[in-house]
């Protein structure tokens, strides 16, 4: 029986303290916090964990410098402190990165005014990061030769942070924490609605892999369904003080544009910040900000034109980027929390990504509106406080439920890796040594990988061409990460389908072997299903397809 099958079978075996619906960043952090503090928790998601907004981010962990323009200083201060805390708590994953912002002639603010704002931003973050710098057009061109400074009046450089790996991978690590603390979590389990009976929420659920239905009982129901919070509240008949508006954002992944490990930031034609973000040997560019009436979003030709037109106007590339250069796309909606009596006629450029925990004490129902990855620890702690306020006892209320293991554990891992000469087995195409990568991705789970590699060096073999995943990682994913569909691995536990072109994957013999590791006799069926599902949305072949 797989880990997922075990967890699905456990969903009906008890009355939980809380059922979390939704496995994005809000739900994952909530489950990890509650389970770590001793609550009996279940979490379900109708798709895969981090299967929506949480896998379509910019991979940035930032304090929201743009919110200063709308004078939302309280939120900026809170997010800067949250960013700092994540850098300290996840030093292998959340890392400081410099942002170089270019200002064009005629912009609504002068470079010196904006530079002063970056100093205020730095001070609001307690001076935790490197200091800002004011740059002339000549400085900008010297440091980033691809930037078009023809219409520039200067710029500035400041610091925020980014995820070294993948946003969905970061979310799954909270799921992993929750499981380690005793939570019951299962992907591909859909809530069909819930009713409150005799002081307990009874949720009717469906296993989407086989169509079976069952009931889950919990004292408190936590709606962390991201963009679909309002829809699920309608299913349960919950009235809330907040609701969501939706803003679509897309990113395009293209061949690497610059080797520098910094974010290039511009103000796009619509006035909002526009980024060129490093992603290993790829570059992520975007984003858009399009008002949506519903949470289901797709990339349109207009979106692609907007991103390409903006980037081509701001960079001096040998050849302008075209749709043929697109390796993959990201597309999701930002769920923006607003008060329920406010309409949709809002300035989306000025709306923040604040989160709101909306609690109905009478029905023991909690809804989480808005939010972003940067604020995830605050969300988890606030949900724990809300559960306590509803009368649920948390036996380990002071437990520190997040973060990497202690430095001493990391050093023990690295010492063991050195003793067995692990890094000598690093594939030649890798961007970093195996010890660094395995620790960042798996932390203390990587000790078992060392033992497997020591027993059989073939476990360090690269399976999928153009990627940085070795055989032992595939086996770990199979046994411990609830890989149900091939996309769960390629897109969320890993970022392979983001950085390797669709057609290159289709021809990959290594991917076929990876499928055999993940799915055994079912490998070909899962492979066929993946390419059938993704064939209509995959970009056309890129000019440079090697990853």
């Amino acid at each position: 029986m797989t880990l997922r099958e075990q967890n699905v079978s456990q969903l009906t075996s008890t009355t939980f303290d809380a059922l979390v619906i939704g496995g994005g960043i809000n739900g994952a952090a909530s489950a990890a916090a509650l389970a770590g503090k001793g609550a009996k928790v279940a979490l379900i998601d109708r798709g895969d964990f981090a299967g929506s907004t949480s896998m379509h981010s910019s991979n940035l962990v930032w304090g929201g410098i743009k919110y200063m323009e709308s004078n939302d200083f309280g939120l900026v201060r809170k997010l800067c402190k949250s960013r700092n805390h994540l850098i300290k708590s996840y030093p292998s994953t959340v890392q400081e990165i410099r942002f170089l912002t270019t200002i064009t002639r005629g912009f609504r603010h002068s470079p010196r005014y904006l530079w002063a704002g970056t100093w205020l931003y730095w001070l609001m973050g307690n001076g935790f990061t490197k200091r800002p710098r004011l740059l002339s057009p000549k400085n900008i061109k010297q440091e980033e030769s691809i930037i078009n400074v023809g219409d520039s009046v200067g710029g500035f450089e400041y610091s925020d942070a980014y995820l070294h790996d993948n946003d969905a991978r970061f979310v799954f690590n909270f799921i992993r924490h929750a499981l380690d603390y005793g939570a019951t979590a299962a992907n591909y389990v859909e809530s069909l609605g819930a009713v409150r009976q005799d002081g307990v929420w009874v949720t009717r659920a469906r296993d989407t892999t086989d169509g079976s239905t069952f009931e889950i009982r919990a004292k408190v129901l936590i709606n962390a369904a991201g963009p679909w919070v309002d829809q699920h509240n309608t299913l349960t008949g919950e009235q809330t003080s907040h609701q969501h508006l939706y803003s679509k954002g897309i990113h395009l992944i293209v061949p690497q544009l610059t080797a520098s490990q910094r974010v290039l930031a511009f103000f796009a034609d619509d006035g909002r910040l526009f980024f060129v973000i490093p992603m290993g040997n790829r570059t992520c560019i975007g984003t858009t900000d399009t008002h949506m009436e519903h949470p289901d979003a797709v990339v349109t030709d207009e979106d692609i034109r907007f991103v390409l037109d903006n980037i081509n106007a701001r960079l001096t590339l040998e050849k302008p980027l075209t749709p043929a250069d697109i390796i993959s796309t990201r597309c999701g909606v930002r769920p923006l929390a607003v008060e329920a009596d406010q309409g949709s006629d809002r300035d989306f450029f000025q709306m923040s990504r604040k989160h709101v925990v909306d609690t109905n004490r009478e029905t023991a129902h909690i809804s989480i509106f808005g939010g972003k990855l940067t604020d995830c620890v605050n969300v988890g702690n606030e949900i724990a406080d809300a559960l306590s306020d509803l009368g649920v006892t948390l036996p380990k209320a002071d437990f520190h439920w997040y973060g990497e293991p202690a430095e001493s554990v990391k050093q023990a891992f690295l010492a063991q890796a050195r003793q067995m000469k692990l890094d000598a087995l690093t594939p030649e195409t890798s961007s970093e040594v195996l010890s660094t990568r395995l620790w960042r991705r798996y932390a203390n789970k990587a000790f078992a990988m060392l033992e497997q590699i020591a027993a059989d060096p073939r476990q360090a073999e690269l399976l999928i061409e153009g990627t940085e995943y070795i055989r032992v990682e595939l086996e770990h994913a199979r046994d411990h990460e609830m890989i149900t569909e091939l996309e769960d691995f390629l897109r969320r536990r890993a970022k392979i389908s983001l950085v390797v072109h669709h057609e290159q994957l289709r021809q990959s013999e290594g991917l076929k072997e990876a499928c055999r590791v993940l799915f055994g006799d079912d490998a070909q069926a899962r492979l066929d299903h993946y390419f059938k599902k993704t064939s209509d949305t995959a970009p056309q072949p890129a000019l440079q397809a090697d990853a």
Side-chain angles (χ1 to χ4, degrees), residues 484-495:
T484 304
E485 300 288 348
L486 180 56
E487 185 182 17
D488 302 341
F489 177 74
L490 290 180
R491 179 62 179 83
R492 288 177 284 276
R493 308 301 180 272
K495 59 181 180 183

Side-chain angles (χ1 to χ4, degrees), residues 43-119:
L43 179 146
I44 59 174
D45 193 294
R46 68 179 180 180
D48 189 28
F49 307 119
S52 182
T53 297
S54 292
M55 73 170 185
H56 293 302
S57 78
S58 302
N59 270 30
L60 299 179
V61 180
W62 65 319
I65 192 171
K66 73 170 186 174
Y67 305 141
M68 293 176 64
E69 192 172 9
S70 55
N71 299 319
D72 204 345
F73 297 113
L75 177 64
V76 173
R77 167 74 170 158
K78 181 180 180 182
L79 290 176
C80 282
K81 291 171 66 178
S82 298
R83 174 205 64 197
N84 298 348
H85 195 57
L86 286 179
I87 292 173
K88 290 185 288 186
S89 300
Y90 295 94
S92 301
T93 302
V94 182
Q95 299 173 347
E96 181 177 348
I97 192 169
R98 298 294 271 175
F99 283 63
L100 194 162
T101 305
T102 303
I103 307 301
T104 56
R105 186 173 289 105
F107 187 66
R108 58 184 181 269
H109 299 302
S110 71
R112 290 186 179 275
Y113 178 86
L114 294 170
W115 182 60
T118 64
W119 275 95

Side-chain angles (χ1 to χ4, degrees), residues 62 105 111 157 199 252 347 350 494:
W62 65 319
R105 186 173 289 105
E157 187 181 62
L252 307 180
D347 182 357
Q350 299 298 324

Side-chain angles (χ1 to χ4, degrees), residues 157-174:
E157 187 181 62
Y158 69 99
S159 286
D160 258 313
Y162 82 123
L163 290 173
H164 189 96
D165 218 319
N166 192 17
D167 49 4
R169 173 89 225 170
F170 187 70
V171 172
F172 182 78
N173 283 336
F174 284 104

Side-chain angles (χ1 to χ4, degrees), residues 43 67 84 90 96 113-114 164 170 187 219 230 287 294 328 339 398 465-466 468 475 482 488 490:
L43 179 146
Y67 305 141
N84 298 348
Y90 295 94
E96 181 177 348
Y113 178 86
L114 294 170
H164 189 96
F170 187 70
N187 49 0
K219 298 173 186 175
D230 295 303
T287 178
H294 54 78
S328 62
E339 294 182 10
D398 296 328
E465 311 90 328
E468 297 193 43
E475 294 187 3
M482 296 193 212
D488 302 341
L490 290 180

